[in-house]
Amino acid sequence: MDDLRGVVAPLADLLLDSRERARAAALHRPADQDGYRVAHVGLRMLLGAYLGVEPSDVTLVRQPCPLCRAPHGRPGVPGVPLCFSLSRTDGLCLLAFAETAVGADVETLPASDVVAGLATMLHPEETAELAACPPDRRPAAFARVWTRKEAYLKGLGTGLARDLHLDRLGTCACGPCPVPGWAVHDVAVETGYAAAVAVAEE
């Protein structure tokens, strides 16, 4: 993503809408501002290609949240069946597109203290798996389960508003636990990151 900043800078003002430009400007770190612009310019260019319209003409909305009906659910384009999800972290961006609901997440491997602070929020079996994991492997195991879980919750449209105890995605390096109605897969990324995508089965 870092390599794209120089290319994206002149496109951002042309392609992003006023809300996206304001959100980018509100981020504190210049790296976060650049990362937001790269991710959203890329999203618009791919959506424009898929839909056969100019990237700047793509209208982005939020669907109602399944839990509270407020407009912070899955992103979408009005009147278009194409589903998509965007995630970004320092240095990487992940975009997913599907004909059914989809969620994607990419994360930098966390520090050990972050793992310790968040592990108890997960499904009890996931918490136990992390506790049994050797300390040097725990950040990678946590990142696997976290990206799987967040991709699934983004696909549902609830995000982290849904209780993290409810769903077991697992920490195992061999793959996620089955989730009824969904296909959840790890995404191959470079060392130091973890990523996953969840797609609703038809």
Side-chain angles (χ1 to χ4, degrees):
M1 192 161 67
D2 293 344
D3 297 338
L4 297 174
R5 286 174 181 163
V7 176
V8 165
L11 296 175
D13 287 339
L14 295 174
L15 302 186
L16 301 186
D17 63 26
S18 58
R19 183 177 57 181
E20 289 169 307
R21 293 195 297 271
R23 288 192 66 181
L27 296 171
H28 296 297
R29 296 195 311 154
D32 290 334
Q33 295 174 358
D34 291 339
Y36 182 97
R37 294 185 184 103
V38 167
H40 283 258
V41 166
L43 173 65
R44 283 183 166 276
M45 293 183 73
L46 287 169
L47 283 173
Y50 278 126
L51 302 175
V53 300
E54 290 297 320
S56 58
D57 292 336
V58 174
T59 300
L60 300 175
V61 298
R62 284 282 183 174
Q63 298 173 8
C65 169
L67 297 178
C68 68
R69 309 309 299 170
H72 55 236
R74 286 194 307 270
V77 177
V80 171
L82 180 67
C83 299
F84 60 91
S85 183
L86 179 156
S87 180
R88 64 180 182 85
T89 189
D90 286 344
L92 281 186
C93 169
L94 179 61
L95 298 167
F97 301 85
E99 295 179 351
T100 60
V102 62
D105 191 52
V106 60
E107 304 282 350
T108 307
L109 297 193
S112 297
D113 60 334
V114 174
V115 175
L118 295 177
T120 57
M121 297 174 60
L122 303 175
H123 187 281
E125 291 185 44
E126 294 167 343
T127 300
E129 290 169 8
L130 287 171
C133 189
D136 61 325
R137 297 183 183 178
R138 207 167 287 158
F142 177 86
R144 282 194 297 270
V145 67
W146 187 268
T147 54
R148 294 165 182 173
K149 194 175 295 275
E150 188 157 353
Y152 170 61
L153 297 180
K154 288 170 74 172
L156 288 178
T158 64
L160 298 177
R162 180 176 168 88
D163 191 337
L164 298 178
H165 286 86
L166 296 177
D167 309 292
R168 185 188 177 207
L169 280 297
T171 66
C172 181
C174 63
C177 298
V179 180
W182 288 81
V184 184
H185 299 283
D186 295 331
V187 176
V189 286
E190 61 190 79
T191 301
Y193 297 90
V197 64
V199 185
E201 297 174 338
E202 293 190 67

